[in-house]
Amino acid sequence: MARQVFTPGWSLPLSSLPVGWRWVMALLPTVVVLASRPWMPAVLKQTPAVLHYPPVLLAAWLGGLGPGVTSTLACTVYSVLVLRPHLLSAPLDDVPGLLRTGMFLVTSVGFSALVAGLQQAVRQAARAVALRDEFITLASHELRTPLTTMRLNLYNTRRLLGMPVDDEAIKARTTKLVDGLDRQLTRLERLILDMFDVSMLESGMKLSPEPLDLAALGESLAPKAAAVGSVLSVRVTGPVEGSWDRRWVQQLVANLLDNAIKYGQGRPVDVEVLQQDGQVHVVVQDHGVGIAPEDRQRIFEKFARVSPPGLEPGLGLGLYVADQTARLHGGRIDVESTLGAGTRFTVVLPRTVPVPR
């Protein structure tokens, strides 16, 4: 399923244009003003700041810091070389002019920097609004789906409870409905935990490293996979010890395992835990649908959903949480995939969590 993209209903001036054209449009007022200066009345020729501030302000607002500073320098060079050339040879003969030129430089560059900062804040706010709207839409849809299924199963269960319970068909049907409820509750719990994990990661949480043996963690995965009807092969090369945050490393591996089971098409999933070049590697390999080359980096984005038809896409948070967790531990996740042949995720972690500076 393609990811739905949300965009804010407003944007910065000229933000839809290529960078080159933004520069041209931002500096056009400066060029017009400087080109028309020789034909202006004498009184205006002696007051450059009055005419130079507007194009600088426009350049900064339309193009940001770069065009704003460029416009400032162009106006300053013009003023010094054409309007007040004596400032180069005898600057102390015109101290007021020298001060005005310096003030123009400082105020114009300062305004350009201020506008650039405001534009960055506007972009971040627009992105935050877009992500909020996307999150609300996806969450409301994904949470409604298991709730609707659970309500239907409960309705059918109530009907069956009013029938004779000695009928084997009714017992089998009731068991199926209860199993369906359990699956939907598990899915609902997973969605809620994903949202909680994202909230924790983005709130600037601190890790709590402790001694941990990833070999024991890997060996504990097989029963969990068997519980959902998947075959898991675990290979551990000796003790793999280090210092990590237990809760988040367990969640990282669980998210990759859930992803492998979900897209593995019922085929066995291989997990390998080993030490290599002073680092720890956790490899999760499935043999399922695979990932298209153009989606291999996007899968780690928040709300990225690249599920093939027929599979429940979820909120697109599991791999995002896994990637952010690896980064917090000073590591990374590499992905290799072939369409129709499966996907291999390799988590590379240092043996100790780096100390934040």
Side-chain angles (χ1 to χ4, degrees):
M1 179 182 294
R3 181 186 180 191
Q4 187 174 4
V5 178
F6 290 78
T7 55
W10 48 275
S11 60
L12 294 171
L14 309 181
S15 60
S16 60
L17 294 179
V19 175
W21 279 107
R22 285 207 303 270
W23 273 74
V24 171
M25 297 299 292
L27 293 176
L28 184 60
T30 304
V31 174
V32 171
V33 169
L34 296 183
S36 60
R37 289 301 305 250
W39 293 276
M40 291 184 180
V43 63
L44 292 179
K45 293 181 180 180
Q46 301 306 314
T47 57
V50 172
L51 295 176
H52 290 174
Y53 273 120
V56 168
L57 302 186
L58 279 172
W61 175 244
L62 295 175
L65 181 60
V69 172
T70 301
S71 176
T72 299
L73 295 177
C75 291
T76 302
V77 169
Y78 181 91
S79 298
V80 172
L81 295 181
V82 178
L83 301 179
R84 290 189 173 89
H86 57 275
L87 289 179
L88 294 176
S89 57
L92 295 181
D93 291 347
D94 187 7
V95 173
L98 186 65
L99 291 176
R100 284 195 296 269
T101 301
M103 184 179 298
F104 173 78
L105 268 172
V106 172
T107 55
S108 296
V109 171
F111 178 84
S112 299
L114 176 62
V115 168
L118 290 175
Q119 288 180 329
Q120 180 64 23
V122 168
R123 292 188 189 96
Q124 292 176 349
R127 178 61 177 165
V129 170
L131 286 176
R132 182 205 63 187
D133 293 343
E134 186 172 5
F135 173 77
I136 291 174
T137 301
L138 290 175
S140 62
H141 171 74
E142 295 300 331
L143 292 175
R144 188 184 301 118
T145 301
L147 288 174
T148 301
T149 305
M150 289 165 60
R151 188 181 299 277
L152 179 61
N153 285 350
L154 284 173
Y155 171 77
N156 290 328
T157 302
R158 288 196 186 98
R159 288 181 54 204
L160 291 173
L161 288 175
M163 300 179 182
V165 295
D166 57 345
D167 190 323
E168 292 300 325
I170 293 179
K171 288 183 180 179
R173 178 61 175 163
T174 304
T175 301
K176 183 178 180 180
L177 290 172
V178 172
D179 290 342
L181 283 171
D182 183 66
R183 286 194 300 272
Q184 294 303 325
L185 282 171
T186 300
R187 182 186 176 197
L188 188 60
E189 180 185 29
R190 178 73 265 155
L191 293 172
I192 294 172
L193 287 176
D194 281 345
M195 290 187 289
F196 175 76
D197 287 344
V198 170
S199 176
M200 289 286 290
L201 287 169
E202 296 189 346
S203 65
M205 63 139 198
K206 296 182 179 180
L207 299 176
S208 300
E210 61 179 281
L212 182 63
D213 185 0
L214 290 187
L217 173 61
E219 292 169 353
S220 69
L221 296 175
K224 297 179 181 178
V228 294
S230 180
V231 177
L232 182 65
S233 171
V234 180
R235 186 173 67 177
V236 179
T237 305
V240 184
E241 299 176 342
S243 178
W244 305 283
D245 189 301
R246 178 183 299 271
R247 184 259 198 235
W248 286 101
V249 168
Q250 289 177 338
Q251 189 62 53
L252 185 160
V253 177
N255 282 3
L256 293 180
L257 182 60
D258 289 344
N259 187 80
I261 293 173
K262 181 176 181 180
Y263 298 108
Q265 296 183 318
R267 298 168 186 166
V269 176
D270 302 321
V271 176
E272 184 177 7
V273 183
L274 69 155
Q275 296 187 60
Q276 183 176 326
D277 300 328
Q279 295 179 311
V280 172
H281 292 228
V282 180
V283 182
V284 179
Q285 168 84 57
D286 69 63
H287 304 277
V289 295
I291 304 170
E294 63 271 17
D295 291 329
R296 288 177 194 168
Q297 291 304 316
R298 194 167 68 86
I299 58 174
F300 294 112
E301 296 177 6
K302 191 190 302 181
F303 305 124
R305 309 194 301 172
V306 294
S307 300
L311 288 178
E312 297 176 346
L315 286 176
L317 294 176
L319 291 180
Y320 170 79
V321 170
D323 182 61
Q324 293 299 308
T325 300
R327 292 173 184 270
L328 276 176
H329 284 80
R332 68 181 190 275
I333 300 180
D334 299 328
V335 57
E336 304 171 42
S337 185
T338 303
L339 282 176
T343 303
R344 177 187 179 94
F345 288 98
T346 302
V347 183
V348 181
L349 298 175
R351 296 189 61 182
T352 58
V353 178
V355 179
R357 295 184 178 180

